[in-house]
Amino acid sequence: NSKRGPHPHERLDAWKEAIQLVKGTYALTEKLPADQRFGLSSQVQRAAVSVPANIAEGSARGGTVEMRRYCAIARGSLAELDTLVILIHELGYAKSAEVLPLREEIDRVNMLLNGLIRYHDRKITDPDR
């Protein structure tokens, strides 16, 4: 039994919250009609999974510029996810009460990603920080 510590991305609040977001997204897509399983459902799940995956990839690459770039990609996937969640509601597949907690989680992850991006922007413009 080798003990290993957490990977660097596992220490990031943005990554932790994004994992919770994926869980909530999968719970929502389970409620979609069967005819949406390969359409809307699949697209929603891909967008959600992309968020923590990009945070992890950026973290693994180790550079400030790379981390900032992958956080921006994650933020783009988050915007896509938010739009898809709105569509699920607008198309009548979920009630407001079902999508509101997910949209709040999206906002939390977005806030954390924005903080990471600002942090890395400062490191890029002032490398001595």
Side-chain angles (χ1 to χ4, degrees):
N1 282 351
S2 67
K3 286 190 176 188
R4 69 165 189 86
H7 290 280
H9 62 270
E10 292 177 274
R11 295 184 191 105
L12 297 171
D13 289 339
W15 181 85
K16 292 174 190 174
E17 288 290 328
I19 292 293
Q20 296 307 310
L21 178 61
V22 171
K23 292 178 182 178
T25 300
Y26 270 74
L28 178 65
T29 57
E30 284 176 6
K31 299 174 184 177
L32 292 178
D35 67 339
Q36 290 301 318
R37 286 284 177 333
F38 296 107
L40 190 55
S41 181
S42 177
Q43 192 169 354
V44 169
Q45 291 171 357
R46 277 195 309 274
V49 168
S50 177
V51 177
N54 276 293
I55 295 168
E57 186 168 355
S59 178
R61 290 180 179 265
T64 297
V65 173
E66 288 292 298
M67 183 61 180
R68 196 250 182 250
R69 184 165 78 82
Y70 278 89
C71 283
I73 292 168
R75 190 171 58 183
S77 294
L78 201 59
E80 178 185 3
L81 176 60
D82 191 43
T83 299
L84 293 166
V85 169
I86 290 168
L87 282 171
I88 287 171
H89 176 256
E90 292 293 320
L91 293 171
Y93 295 135
K95 296 179 176 142
S96 293
E98 295 171 300
V99 299
L100 185 61
L102 197 56
R103 294 202 65 213
E104 289 172 348
E105 185 71 23
I106 288 169
D107 288 345
R108 272 193 298 280
V109 174
N110 193 52
M111 180 190 68
L112 292 166
L113 277 173
N114 285 337
L116 272 175
I117 290 168
R118 280 192 306 274
Y119 171 76
H120 288 287
D121 280 345
R122 285 192 301 271
K123 282 181 72 175
I124 291 165
T125 57
D126 184 6
D128 295 328
R129 284 192 122 166

